Amino acid sequence: MTDEQPAGTGPQAAPRDPLTATAREPGGPMVVRGFRRDRRHKKLGGVCAGLGQHCDMDPVIFRIGLALLSVTSGLGLVFYGFAWLFVPFDDEEENEARRLLSGRVDGQALTAVLFALVGCGVFLSLLNNGGALTFATGLALLLAGAGYWSQQRGTTDPDPVAAQAAADAPPEAKAPPVAGAPSWWRDPIIKDGTHDGISGYFWGPEGVTVGYQPDPPHGPIRQWQPEAPRPPKPRGPRWIGGLIFLGALLAGGLGTGLTWAEQPLGTSLQTGLALALAVFGIGIAISAFLGRTGVGSIVLAVITAGLLAGSAALPKDITTTWAETEWKPTAVEQVRPQYELGTGVGTLDLTRAGPGKGQTLSTSAEVGAGQLKVILPRNSTVELNIEVGVGDIQLPDDRKGDVDIAPGKEKSVTLDPPAGSKDGGRLELHVEVGVGQAEVSRATS
C-alpha cells in the first residue's frame, strides 16, 4: 500500500454515483467524465492515479502491473506513454499531444514520447520471445478485468417501470413571479412598437417609470469600449530545428560510413541511426528549454526510431558488399558441410559431386541477401528443406518467371530422380535465404 490516499476513496473525494461511476460535486449537478489523469495524486504523469480514480481501485495496483508489463514486454511503457500524451488532466481539456503539435513542447510531452519509443523498442526486440509475450498478455487482461469489475461492482440496473414513469410525467409546475421582484419582463406592452406612456415593464421597483425608446434609424448607438490587451503568443518553432536535422544527418552518415566496410549491414545501419536518434533527443531536450522546438523534429525522431527498430530485425549475415560466388565441387570428398555468402549471388553446383549408390550426403547453403542457385545431381534422390525470410522459392517443376514474393516462406519436399535413371544415392540439402530468391534446379546430364 502507499502512503497517499487513493484517488476517489479519500474523505474529501466527491461521492460516486453507482450507476454511472462518475463524480458528483457537492451541491452541484452530475458531471459525466471519462478516464482522466489525476494531478493531485500523481507520481509521474498521473496515469495510474487516474486509472485508480476511474476504476475505484488503489492506484498502486496499476503502478505495479504496468511496471511488470514494462519489464517483461515493454507494453507498460507503450500504454503509459500514449496515455500520458492523449489523456488530459482532470482539471483541463487540452492534452500533451495537442500541445506538442502546436509547438508548445515541455518536459512532460518529451518524457511521454520517450516512454512510448522505448516501450516500442523493447516490444519489437521481444517479438520472438513467446513466453514473455504470453505472460504480458495474461497480466494485461487480468488488470483490465480487475478494473472493469471494480468499476461495475455495487451497481444496480435501473428499474424500467420507474424510468418510464419519470419520462411520462408532466413538467414540474412553477410559481408565477412575485411583483416587486428583481426579475423584469423587458418586452414592450404594445407589440407593434408604439408606446402609450406607461412603463415597459409589468413590475419593478416602486417609483421607477421606464419609457420605451425605439432604436435610431441607423441602429442602436453603442458606446465604444477599448479592447482588452491580447495575451502574448507563445514562442513557436524557430530555425533550431534545421540545425538539429543537419546534425542528425551528419551523425548518421558518419556512424554508418565508419562501420560500412567492417560490419554487417544491420549493424552499420543501427550505428548510424542510433547516433542520429541521439542527436534528435539532445536537440529536442535543449530546444524544449528554449521554447524553439518544432513538430518536424518530433516527427523525424519518431521516424528514425522506427527505422532503427527495423534495422535491428535485419539478418546478421547480410553484408555491405555485393559478390558473385560459385561453389563447384568435383567429388563427394570436396563437398563442405556448409556454404555461406553475405550479399550477392551464390551458385552451388553439385552436378559432379553426387553421392554414389547407397550413400547419403548432407550439406547446406545460405545467403543473407540476394540469390542462391543450387544445381542438383541428375540421379540422386534429394531431401530438400528451403527457408526464405522475404522473397521467392523456385523449384525444378515451377514455371520460369513465376515469382511470388512473400515473407516467411518455407518448403520441405522430396525430389525423386527421373524415371529410368540409375540409383544415384541420397542427398540431404538445407537452403536458407534471408532476403531474396532461392532457386533449385536439376542437372540435365
Side-chain angles (χ1 to χ4, degrees):
M1 298 297 292
T2 179
D3 55 351
E4 70 178 16
Q5 185 69 27
T9 59
Q12 302 298 329
R16 300 176 64 85
D17 188 273
L19 296 179
T20 60
T22 54
R24 183 192 299 273
E25 299 295 337
M30 180 67 64
V31 180
V32 181
R33 301 293 290 273
F35 166 46
R36 296 295 183 97
R37 292 187 290 136
D38 191 351
R39 188 189 298 274
R40 296 173 300 168
H41 304 94
K42 70 174 184 176
K43 291 296 184 181
L44 188 59
V47 175
C48 294
L51 285 173
Q53 182 180 9
H54 182 67
C55 299
D56 198 14
M57 292 177 60
D58 194 329
V60 176
I61 298 176
F62 293 103
R63 293 190 177 108
I64 297 176
L66 290 180
L68 290 176
L69 286 176
S70 302
V71 174
T72 56
S73 65
L75 293 178
L77 292 175
V78 175
F79 173 81
Y80 200 98
F82 280 105
W84 196 346
L85 278 176
F86 294 103
V87 178
F89 278 116
D90 50 5
D91 56 354
E92 60 185 22
E93 297 298 330
E94 191 175 35
N95 54 28
E96 300 296 336
R98 186 172 179 180
R99 295 191 184 96
L100 192 67
L101 294 177
S102 61
R104 293 172 292 168
V105 182
D106 56 8
Q108 291 198 16
L110 294 176
T111 306
V113 173
L114 181 63
F115 272 41
L117 291 179
V118 173
C120 290
V122 174
F123 177 74
L124 291 175
S125 64
L126 294 176
L127 283 179
N128 295 327
N129 192 337
L133 293 181
T134 302
F135 172 78
T137 302
L139 180 59
L141 293 176
L142 182 62
L143 280 177
Y148 179 79
W149 172 83
S150 177
Q151 187 181 26
Q152 299 296 325
R153 62 181 176 178
T155 61
T156 57
D157 295 333
D159 187 2
V161 177
Q164 185 64 31
D168 296 339
E172 182 182 359
K174 298 182 179 179
V178 182
S183 179
W184 299 342
W185 181 51
R186 296 183 177 273
D187 289 340
I189 295 178
I190 306 300
K191 293 298 184 179
D192 58 0
T194 61
H195 179 56
D196 57 0
I198 309 175
S199 171
Y201 298 86
F202 272 148
W203 59 84
E206 295 182 0
V208 178
T209 300
V210 181
Y212 172 74
Q213 299 292 336
D215 293 336
H218 300 287
I221 300 176
R222 296 181 176 87
Q223 184 179 3
W224 178 83
Q225 295 181 356
E227 295 183 358
R230 296 181 179 180
K233 294 183 179 180
R235 290 180 294 175
R238 298 184 183 177
W239 50 266
I240 194 173
L243 293 180
I244 295 175
F245 174 72
L246 182 60
L249 192 62
L250 292 176
L254 183 62
T256 302
L258 292 177
T259 58
W260 186 262
E262 299 178 357
Q263 299 293 335
L265 178 62
T267 303
S268 180
L269 292 178
Q270 290 175 43
T271 303
L273 292 172
L275 291 177
L277 187 60
V279 172
F280 275 122
I282 295 174
I284 292 173
I286 294 176
S287 60
F289 293 100
L290 300 179
R292 299 179 177 179
T293 302
V295 66
S297 300
I298 306 295
V299 173
L300 290 175
V302 173
I303 294 176
T304 304
L307 293 176
L308 180 59
S311 64
L314 290 176
K316 298 299 181 182
D317 53 358
I318 298 180
T319 60
T320 57
T321 57
W322 185 271
E324 294 187 5
T325 304
E326 183 178 10
W327 305 288
K328 194 173 183 179
T330 59
V332 177
E333 295 78 11
Q334 297 179 0
V335 177
R336 296 184 303 198
Q338 187 173 8
Y339 296 89
E340 293 182 357
L341 177 63
T343 305
V345 178
T347 303
L348 177 59
D349 189 353
L350 300 175
T351 304
R352 302 173 60 184
K357 182 179 180 181
Q359 296 181 348
T360 301
L361 176 64
S362 298
T363 186
S364 64
E366 180 179 350
V367 171
Q371 186 181 28
L372 177 57
K373 300 179 180 180
V374 179
I375 304 176
L376 305 176
R378 174 177 173 80
N379 299 326
S380 299
T381 301
V382 181
E383 293 287 343
L384 182 61
N385 177 259
I386 304 179
E387 296 181 7
V388 177
V390 178
D392 177 53
I393 297 176
Q394 287 283 329
L395 296 178
D397 296 334
D398 295 342
R399 293 185 304 172
K400 296 296 182 181
D402 186 9
V403 179
D404 182 16
I405 299 177
K409 281 197 166 187
E410 182 175 358
K411 285 186 178 181
S412 295
V413 296
T414 301
L415 301 179
D416 296 326
S421 59
K422 61 180 181 179
D423 186 8
R426 190 177 190 85
L427 175 62
E428 297 177 353
L429 178 62
H430 178 75
V431 176
E432 184 174 353
V433 177
V435 179
Q437 184 186 52
E439 179 181 343
V440 179
S441 60
R442 189 181 288 272
T444 57
S445 60

